[in-house]
Amino acid sequence: MQAILDQSGLMVVVLSRTGRIRLFNAACEAVTGFGANEILGRPIWNLLLPDETDGVRRVFSDLVSCGLPSEHTNRWRTRSGSSRLIHWKNAALRDTAGHIRLVVGTGIDLTELQNSRDELRAAVDAMPGLVAHADAAHRVLFANHAYREWFGLDPEAQVGRHLRDVIGDSAYATLRPHLDCAARGESSTYHGELCYADGRKRFIHGTYVPKSGGNAGATSFYINVLDLTEQEALKAALAAESRRSQVMLENAIDAIVMIDRHGIIESYNPAAERIFGYSVSEVLGRNVSMLMPSPHAEMHDQYLANYLRTGNARVIGVGRELQAQRKDGRVIDIELAIGEFQEGDERYFTGFVRDISDRKHAEAQAQKRLQQLAHMNRLGAMSMLTSGLAHEISQPLMAVAALAHMCRTRLQEAEGTSDTLVKALDDIVEHCDRAGRIVSEMRSFLRKDDRASSRADTLSLNELIAAVLPLLDHEFRVAGIRLKLELDPSLPPVRVNGIQVEQVLLNLLRNAVEAMTQQEGDRLLQVDSRRKCNVGAACEVSIRDSGPGIDEDLMPRLFDPFTSTKENGLGQGLAISRAIVEAHGGQLKGENDPNGGARFSFTLPADAADG
Amino acid sequence: MPLMADHSDANPTPVVFIVDDDEAIREALSLLLRDTGFKCHGYGNPRAFLAEQPPPGPYCALLDLRMPGMHGLELQQQLRQRRPPPPTIFLTGYGEVEAAVQALREGALDFFEKHAFDPEALVERVADALQRHAQALRRGRAREQRDKRLDLLSTREREILDYVAAGASNKVIAIDLGISERTVEIHRSRGMRKLGTRSVAALVQLMTPP
């Protein structure tokens, strides 16, 4: 009998009515490490962990009093001090009179099983998604740790609760068909947004799988839910970004052309169609060199290859002004910027192309105009120089002539006059005349030039101002000058030589710019035009700067030739300007504004024909 | 003021004013003109010249066109306000012919280009200018005296003498004014007495503006 019990592998213990051990088989010895000889006759409670004792006493006394078989799981101590979890099936043994004499327990060591279940549980708890087991009535049998993470719920406390109470009405209503489906024994998945009990929305991927082996009819099922909210948000953001890029591409003013590493056109926006004249279908898949004039067209493949080999960029990342060729063969000026990006192993280049033909043309025009005005200014300077010279020489000439005449008259009246002296004075007068004739000739030479340049047209002063300002755009920008225009639209036309008046405007504006660049602070240039009625009908233009103003010492000589505050100035600008304005019957004056800065203004009479 | 002290109202010495900011020119012209017998006075600044009380006798002004502070043309305009306005002669530097022509248009007597200066012509022109101004002064004085005498007349006397000067007879005047011929005669002789004229011819000369 003992041998059989030892062979069975089950733990077998027989206890007396008082709980003393009567039998302790080999399996018990193996599990506990205690020998039967040490144990027999001792109360069973000694083998239990202290906190198990009460439970086991209750089970034992039930067994002894009623004799109904029972099962109980409890922990035993071992010789090494560890504990083992053992599942017991207990029964009472009765004597022939039917009295309960002994209690027998057969046990299985569950310790290893329990450990592996704990590990499994830990693994399930460690999963980021919800893992749960629910019965066919949608009541929770098990919930993993993620329930705490997601909803702040204690997973243990969820057991027995209805899923609706766990996840909320809204989410339950959405998921119900899937839960029902799984309870019927068919797997189901839900992919979409849910609103949980806490009001938070999550985008989930839920899998509902019936418990394996479930036969037809109601079954419990497993729930596995992943949170895809962030991924979905990212996806939506990417889609929006892509839509935005597309709108930008479609509506850009610049042509945007993307090519691959071989120069083959991959994309081509509507602005490119407009600028190059080719439609998308004509260019996709073709070499981008078709958009370039010779010699770039022939060289482009080489440019690309060089760049890919050496990494030396000539256009990429900098932006340059180049030329492009349209479908109709016309070569246009463009500004080109190139960006580069990599997608997997492939490299792409995106070219942003702006048509700057108009700007180039305008720049060339402005340059030409500036040169023309500069030439006029040089001519004017020369004329002013000569005229200043002539004017200055006239003064002593007159004095000499007057004095020589007087001397000669005196000599002739006096007694014993020396003929030599009279002759000498006659010579002085003669030389004076000659010098005067030279001055006259200078004048007639310059007058020719005056006549040639004094062709007058009926013009609007406002338009002349508008024509000159763009010529100085660059200088305004560089010096950070703000421009304030107040042009009187009712200004009557003037009859003037347009180029000369532009010259005056340019001189005054340049002076203002130079004055303002001498000091820091707010740089404001005010250009006004207005009608002036006190002396006939006249137009007045005034140019006010926020510079240091005119040096009071300089005031009386302001318009004299050779008066300049500039290091390399010839000092002809204001002199010429005044000469031009006065030749047109106007006046030019310079003064210091009471609010600071210098103010130069000139008047021109209104065209008489205009009334 | 030496200018004022030198002259009596009866026979004031004519004066030539030279206004030019160039001192050499002022001095040379002063020497030239003084030597020819004119009294000269030079000013380097137009405003200083304008601020001076004008002399009682005849005078003329030699004006430079371009001077600091005031343009010659503006100075001329100021001088034209004077009664009678003094004759002006301009001295022009190079390239000022247009302004000089403008000056002539506004009543200047002449202009002289400095680089082609003819002293003899200037002397002649100055003499001419002073003579003109003397005449103008005389005319002014005569007009003044006439006006003073005419002011003595009553309204009725003035009315009747206007008729007489126009050649109307007493009879015509009486009918025109609706008064008696005798009344006309009384007013007429009283008016003639006040004016100190005896003949109709003298009356006509007096009443006609110079």
Side-chain angles (χ1 to χ4, degrees), chain A residues 387 390-391 394-395 397-399 401-403 405-406 410 436 439-440 443 446-447 578 582, chain B residues 22 24-25 28-29 31-32 35 66 91 93-98 113-115 117 119-120:
Chain A
S387 110
H391 188 93
S394 300
Q395 310 278 63
L397 275 183
M398 182 182 205
L403 294 173
H405 181 80
M406 187 208 77
R410 277 274 178 100
V439 171
S440 283
R443 186 176 65 174
L446 284 170
R447 279 181 68 95
R578 184 167 78 166
E582 287 182 354
Chain B
D22 191 314
I25 292 216
L29 290 185
L31 275 174
L32 172 71
D35 208 60
R66 184 161 286 185
L91 309 172
Y94 162 83
E96 294 175 333
V97 176
E98 274 104 10
E113 290 180 284
K114 288 178 177 174
H115 68 275
F117 179 52
E120 255 181 291

Side-chain angles (χ1 to χ4, degrees), chain A residues 124-144:
Chain A
V124 168
D125 276 341
M127 289 173 76
L130 299 179
V131 178
H133 185 197
D135 67 15
H138 302 175
R139 260 188 291 274
V140 176
L141 298 174
F142 163 80
N144 76 339

Side-chain angles (χ1 to χ4, degrees), chain A residues 125-202:
Chain A
D125 276 341
M127 289 173 76
L130 299 179
V131 178
H133 185 197
D135 67 15
H138 302 175
R139 260 188 291 274
V140 176
L141 298 174
F142 163 80
N144 76 339
H145 199 73
Y147 278 81
R148 193 193 304 282
E149 303 271 315
W150 283 41
F151 309 118
L153 299 174
D154 176 15
E156 308 299 335
Q158 303 316 306
V159 174
R161 282 185 77 189
H162 196 277
L163 277 172
R164 183 178 48 232
D165 301 331
V166 177
I167 62 176
D169 291 338
S170 163
Y172 182 74
T174 311
L175 292 178
R176 181 149 190 196
H178 302 277
L179 304 177
D180 288 343
C181 190
R184 280 198 307 274
E186 289 169 43
S187 291
S188 178
T189 58
Y190 171 78
H191 186 83
E193 206 171 45
L194 279 185
C195 183
Y196 281 111
D198 56 5
R200 268 186 28 208
K201 282 189 173 162
R202 284 176 189 257

Side-chain angles (χ1 to χ4, degrees), chain A residues 367-609:
Chain A
Q367 194 58 36
K368 218 167 104 185
R369 194 103 189 95
L370 270 178
Q371 274 166 3
Q372 207 175 5
L373 288 174
H375 177 67
M376 298 293 299
N377 251 355
R378 275 197 300 279
L379 273 187
M382 207 173 76
S383 157
M384 193 60 58
L385 205 73
T386 318
S387 110
L389 200 68
H391 188 93
E392 292 308 312
I393 291 174
S394 300
Q395 310 278 63
L397 275 183
M398 182 182 205
V400 171
L403 294 173
H405 181 80
M406 187 208 77
C407 293
R408 195 179 179 285
T409 315
R410 277 274 178 100
L411 274 176
Q412 273 180 334
E413 284 164 1
E415 296 282 319
T417 301
S418 151
D419 284 347
T420 327
L421 273 180
V422 173
K423 171 80 171 52
L425 281 169
D426 281 345
D427 284 351
I428 288 176
V429 170
E430 176 58 33
H431 293 319
C432 240
D433 280 355
R434 213 175 85 208
R437 277 197 303 278
I438 293 172
V439 171
S440 283
E441 274 163 28
M442 267 188 205
R443 186 176 65 174
S444 59
F445 165 72
L446 284 170
R447 279 181 68 95
K448 241 187 302 181
D449 180 56
D450 280 352
R451 264 198 304 280
S453 61
S454 65
R455 279 194 308 267
D457 296 303
T458 301
L459 296 168
S460 146
L461 260 179
N462 288 345
E463 280 173 23
L464 289 173
I465 293 170
V468 169
L469 286 174
L471 302 182
L472 293 167
D473 249 5
H474 179 72
E475 289 171 51
F476 292 154
R477 250 199 328 270
V478 167
I481 290 169
R482 278 192 302 129
L483 191 62
K484 196 174 150 207
L485 280 183
E486 266 179 45
L487 304 183
D488 181 353
S490 73
L491 217 56
V494 288
R495 190 155 177 81
V496 296
N497 179 310
I499 293 184
Q500 289 187 341
V501 173
E502 284 183 9
Q503 213 179 322
V504 172
L505 286 166
L506 191 70
N507 283 339
L508 297 182
L509 289 168
R510 274 235 168 100
N511 282 353
V513 169
E514 278 171 42
M516 283 190 282
T517 44
Q518 284 169 24
Q519 61 181 31
E520 294 304 316
D522 193 24
R523 291 170 176 170
L524 177 64
L525 179 65
Q526 297 181 68
V527 181
D528 301 348
S529 71
R530 63 194 183 95
R531 206 186 173 111
K532 228 183 161 182
C533 290
N534 51 352
V535 242
C539 303
E540 187 186 57
V541 174
S542 86
I543 291 165
R544 217 182 99 191
D545 64 51
S546 61
I550 307 161
D551 190 346
E552 287 297 335
D553 293 345
L554 202 66
M555 266 310 184
R557 296 177 290 122
L558 196 56
F559 293 101
D560 290 356
F562 307 111
T563 298
S564 178
T565 55
K566 300 167 204 164
E567 214 164 297
N568 297 313
L570 250 187
Q572 302 296 316
L574 283 178
I576 295 168
S577 299
R578 184 167 78 166
I580 290 174
V581 170
E582 287 182 354
H584 283 93
Q587 279 188 325
L588 169 63
K589 57 181 184 181
E591 62 206 343
N592 281 323
D593 194 276
N595 300 319
R599 180 178 181 273
F600 281 85
S601 56
F602 65 87
T603 55
L604 289 173
D607 186 5

